[in-house]
Amino acid sequence: MRLRDDEARALVSSYGVPANPVQFAERGSDAGRIAVDVGQPVAIKLVARDLVHKSQSGGVLLDVAWRRAAEQADELLSQHREGGGDALGVTVEPMVEPGLEVSVGGLQSAGYGRVVMFGRGGTHIEDWSDVAFGLVPLDRAQAVALIARTQVGRSIAKRCPERLDELIGLILAVAGIEGILMHEDIAELDINPVIVSDHRVIAVDARATRSPVPVGPSVGVDPSSAWEELRPAIYPESVAVVGASDDPAKMGNRVVRGMLDMGFSGEIFPVSRSSKTICGLSALAGIDELPLGVERAVVVTPADVVPTVLSELAGRGVRTAHVLTADTPPFINSGSQSGGMRVLGPNCLGHYAPSVGITMISPTASSRTAGHVAVVSQSGTYAGDAVRRGAAIGLSYSFVTSVGNCEDITPAELLAFCDADPATKVAGFYLEGDVGAGDFFRVARTVSLPVVLLRGGRTTTGSAAAASHTGALASDSRLLVDAAHEAGVLLVDDADQFFDALVMLQHSQQIAGDGLALLGSGGGVGVVGADTADAWALRLPVLGEQSSKALAPFSAPGCSLSNPVDLPVWSMYTGDQCFTGELVEAVVLDDQVHVVCAFIDVGTVFDLESRPVAEALMWRLTDGIIHADRRGRTLVLVLRSSLHDVQEDVIRRLRALATEAGVATFDSVDRAVRAVGGLRWLTGAAEARADRTGGR
């Protein structure tokens, strides 16, 4: 139900929004009497159920002399009714002094819940698009950040900074913990324009639509309860496989065989109606033969029996279940939650946890090395990619899990689990669609670990029926970008960037500053790296006297000892002696340098030397870089290949050497710099969160 304009103004005023006083008049004569009482020029605005954007439809009269208010109001009403409109009347309010026009809006989004918007206001707000969105509720620091993310907000901070406190107060009146959006069933809200002048901040228009159903609270997730409930699913001590098979081609066999080959540390209970032994283990004929309290069940039964299977598992006190089967009937409230059993899936590939000996792919392609990077994926393909690619590029995981449709356990809960998990320091998520997005990002606001998100299914579909400016601007993609930014989540564009970010974060969860030094062979490579650095707000500082002096002995024709430092490969060694370590140590003498990106053109090395000599030389060049005294600086290594099989094999072995030394390795400078930029952005987001929460 849409509120009448004066009712909307009264509502926002009751929450402390400074609003211009307004009165409603059904007839021109009533408008005239109101204008006489005002005693100064007034604004007259048409009120009609079929009219939303009044200014663009000729429904607003400004600077009307009080003597002519009755006449002009009657004309406005007559014109609208003669055109077939259903005018209810007009509102009358005193004119206010001009200033910058901004807008504050609110929205109930299906995926994000309560959302607030701030940005440029006025009659053509959709054309300006200088707006930012945030998840409700906001605290003061988040309101400040919301303003700062817009051009108009930055203009206000420069032109009339004394009005910022009033503007922040207005935003909190709408979106704070005690604000309108937290306590009213509002589907859409526009306070537009809000005039910011030298003397005051005042709203001169407001529109609101009540939700037809009460708005429930956002789901809260407690990290401690997430750990207690989900630990049996992630790091189980006992596993039942329901639908186990003696056929090696079937999933029910591969799950059991994978755990045996990976050396699962707990008990395995195959459940099969057709086989008495599975992979050498005695099979149980039914769920009723399971011991009580098994921690995790893997379900690979036909889809139509999954709800019944889950109900039976819950009846045996099974703690968690992972439904690999796709296209299952809905199983929530089918008895699966009795006893508190939690369910991952359906439509999943499986689970990988090297510390307990579980994998979702072939054990021969699965690393046994446990690390501290977690990956949660709604795509089975990307989950499998994470395990396979991780083994190839040196990523070591606490766990990787395929979660499919998330009918029960949500991404928000899994993020809370990652934050509570002592084995996890970095979390990467591949998610699809907006269901539960608001809860995920609200949890992300509170976590202490860096979070990387690859989101499939980005769209530009409006989140509302465009009954307001806010709704018209709230596309799914805009909400995603703004929610991720506000929550401090690194939103990446593709799988390569996703895995590059995780490789970077595996070795460094924070970075001291934005000063980057590029060091290697290839001027063009350095130029492209510098361009990428600029796009990620990284600086390439001019190297100071100490660094320049230390680099001077390596000067050679065609080289550049500024930043980027460009030296031909043949200047980095002589005979058995390599200088790459000295080059890195020279660069980090400059306190402006926080990160060094060192790159070697492997193809050139193989052009210069025979294969055995080139392999040995690559080993020495790389060893010098990764074991240099970096003085606490972050180091990344780039090994640029010509995609020759021999070179790729050498790089694979050198990557393992660098990983062991704690150095992230990439195959191109631009990808390395992009990963460094992501780390720097995450560091800034973490610092902002610590400032906002007092370090909690």
Side-chain angles (χ1 to χ4, degrees):
M1 180 188 71
R2 185 179 161 207
L3 299 183
R4 208 172 62 195
D5 292 27
D6 57 317
E7 295 171 336
R9 196 89 59 94
L11 172 65
V12 300
S13 296
S14 71
Y15 279 85
V17 172
N20 203 30
V22 62
Q23 296 184 64
F24 175 75
E26 291 185 359
R27 294 171 294 275
S29 57
D30 298 328
R33 284 192 292 274
I34 295 169
V36 169
D37 292 339
V38 170
Q40 67 179 71
V42 296
I44 298 176
K45 301 175 184 179
L46 191 65
V47 178
R49 293 186 181 91
D50 60 348
L51 190 65
V52 177
H53 306 315
K54 296 186 289 291
S55 296
Q56 298 172 27
S57 305
V60 176
L61 302 175
L62 299 178
D63 212 21
V64 177
W66 62 265
R67 294 180 179 84
R68 298 197 59 207
E71 173 190 347
Q72 294 206 14
D74 276 333
E75 288 180 7
L76 192 63
L77 290 167
S78 297
Q79 288 173 4
H80 186 71
R81 288 164 179 162
E82 288 171 3
D86 62 345
L88 303 176
V90 295
T91 57
V92 183
E93 60 189 285
M95 290 293 296
V96 302
E97 68 273 25
L100 284 171
E101 295 186 348
V102 300
S103 173
V104 178
L107 178 74
Q108 287 293 333
S109 163
Y112 290 85
R114 299 175 174 91
V115 175
V116 64
M117 182 197 77
F118 171 80
R120 190 178 299 275
T123 57
H124 295 285
I125 179 176
E126 293 101 330
D127 298 335
W128 288 108
S129 297
D130 177 29
V131 299
F133 288 86
L135 300 180
V136 176
L138 299 185
D139 59 25
R140 180 181 175 83
Q142 289 163 336
V144 171
L146 184 71
I147 294 169
R149 295 212 312 269
T150 65
Q151 183 178 344
V152 69
R154 295 189 292 272
S155 295
I156 291 169
K158 289 180 180 178
R159 292 172 54 179
C160 42
E162 63 279 4
R163 301 278 77 82
L164 274 178
D165 271 350
E166 295 172 56
L167 192 56
I168 292 165
L170 189 155
I171 291 172
L172 292 178
V174 172
I177 193 68
E178 298 298 332
I180 297 168
L181 297 177
M182 288 294 290
H183 293 275
E184 300 287 339
D185 291 329
I186 296 295
E188 293 183 63
L189 172 69
D190 269 345
I191 307 175
N192 176 43
V194 175
I195 307 297
V196 182
S197 68
D198 291 337
H199 305 294
R200 62 175 175 170
V201 172
I202 188 165
V204 297
D205 207 348
R207 291 179 290 279
T209 304
R210 289 200 179 275
S211 176
V213 295
V215 178
S218 297
V219 177
V221 180
D222 179 4
S224 61
S225 65
W227 168 260
E228 178 65 24
E229 291 185 11
L230 303 188
R231 195 278 310 159
I234 307 301
Y235 306 120
E237 297 177 2
S238 54
V239 176
V241 181
V242 184
S245 170
D246 61 359
D247 182 350
K250 292 188 175 180
M251 181 65 79
N253 183 277
R254 295 200 298 270
V255 171
V256 176
R257 172 59 62 192
M259 285 190 289
L260 290 173
D261 289 349
M262 282 287 288
F264 177 60
S265 56
E267 294 183 276
I268 303 173
F269 302 99
V271 179
S272 174
R273 293 181 178 179
S274 58
S275 304
K276 295 192 178 297
T277 61
I278 309 291
C279 302
L281 298 178
S282 296
L284 306 178
I287 292 171
D288 58 348
E289 296 183 14
L290 283 172
L292 296 175
V294 171
E295 291 205 329
R296 181 174 187 265
V298 180
V299 179
V300 288
T301 62
D304 59 335
V305 300
V306 165
T308 300
V309 166
L310 292 175
S311 180
E312 292 176 1
L313 289 169
R316 295 298 293 173
V318 174
R319 299 278 303 279
T320 64
H322 201 157
V323 180
L324 275 54
T325 309
D327 301 320
T328 64
F331 54 73
I332 299 300
N333 301 322
S334 66
S336 62
Q337 274 63 56
S338 64
M341 187 178 81
R342 302 303 308 277
V343 183
L344 288 167
N347 188 22
C348 304
L349 181 64
H351 184 67
Y352 169 69
S355 64
V356 297
I358 294 177
T359 188
M360 67 179 73
I361 64 169
S362 168
T364 59
S366 304
S367 172
R368 266 71 168 179
T369 302
H372 52 253
V373 177
V375 170
V376 175
S377 175
Q378 288 194 273
S379 161
T381 299
Y382 278 133
D385 283 351
V387 182
R388 294 184 188 92
R389 192 180 295 200
I393 64 177
L395 269 174
S396 296
Y397 297 106
S398 50
F399 71 91
V400 177
T401 196
S402 167
V403 296
N405 300 346
C406 296
E407 191 166 329
D408 177 29
I409 296 172
T410 67
E413 291 177 282
L414 287 159
L415 177 55
F417 174 86
C418 290
D419 196 44
D421 179 12
T424 297
K425 296 181 181 178
V426 177
F429 282 74
Y430 171 79
L431 302 177
E432 296 176 347
D434 285 335
V435 176
D439 293 328
F440 178 84
F441 288 117
R442 286 179 176 90
V443 171
R445 281 174 165 179
T446 68
V447 301
S448 59
L449 79 176
V451 181
V452 181
L453 173 63
L454 175 60
R455 236 298 298 275
R458 297 194 198 186
T459 73
T460 56
T461 305
S463 295
S468 65
H469 293 300
T470 305
L473 289 165
S475 67
D476 297 339
S477 56
R478 183 189 288 270
L479 290 179
L480 170 66
V481 170
D482 282 5
H485 187 283
E486 182 200 43
V489 172
L490 179 63
L491 186 65
V492 298
D493 296 325
D494 53 48
D496 285 341
Q497 190 181 2
F498 180 75
F499 289 112
D500 286 347
L502 295 183
V503 167
M504 185 77 241
L505 288 162
Q506 174 173 259
H507 300 294
S508 304
Q509 282 88 59
Q510 60 182 3
I511 199 168
D514 60 0
L516 171 68
L518 295 172
L519 165 65
S521 55
V525 174
V527 170
V528 171
D531 289 341
T532 307
D534 184 67
W536 281 90
L538 297 170
R539 295 182 303 111
L540 268 67
V542 176
L543 297 177
E545 182 179 351
Q546 277 189 293
S547 289
S548 297
K549 185 177 179 181
L551 287 169
F554 303 103
S555 180
C559 76
S560 170
L561 299 182
S562 58
N563 189 12
V565 178
D566 171 26
L567 285 169
V569 169
W570 52 86
S571 295
M572 295 182 180
Y573 71 98
T574 178
D576 291 335
Q577 186 179 7
C578 291
F579 311 124
T580 48
E582 288 93 328
L583 291 167
V584 171
E585 290 169 359
V587 168
V588 298
L589 290 173
D590 194 315
D591 290 339
Q592 295 183 88
V593 173
H594 305 105
V595 189
V596 178
C597 175
F599 52 98
I600 303 174
D601 193 272
V602 181
T604 300
V605 174
F606 275 80
D607 286 344
L608 293 170
E609 306 287 354
S610 64
R611 175 176 169 179
V613 174
E615 289 188 20
L617 178 56
M618 277 303 309
W619 208 267
R620 295 197 303 275
L621 291 169
T622 300
D623 188 76
I625 290 171
I626 64 178
H627 291 114
D629 180 3
R630 307 194 298 265
R631 295 164 54 106
R633 307 304 205 285
T634 299
L635 171 68
V636 295
L637 172 66
V638 175
L639 299 173
R640 300 184 66 251
S641 165
S642 302
L643 302 182
H644 190 281
D645 288 347
V646 172
Q647 295 176 30
E648 289 295 304
D649 181 63
V650 170
I651 288 172
R652 178 182 57 79
R653 289 183 281 128
L654 291 175
R655 183 183 286 114
L657 180 71
T659 298
E660 188 176 344
V663 176
T665 305
F666 303 91
D667 61 11
S668 74
V669 169
D670 48 325
R671 286 176 61 171
V673 173
R674 185 169 62 171
V676 171
L679 173 59
R680 178 57 193 159
W681 186 87
L682 283 166
T683 300
E687 291 169 348
R689 182 188 299 119
D691 288 344
R692 190 178 73 245
T693 61
R696 296 192 301 277

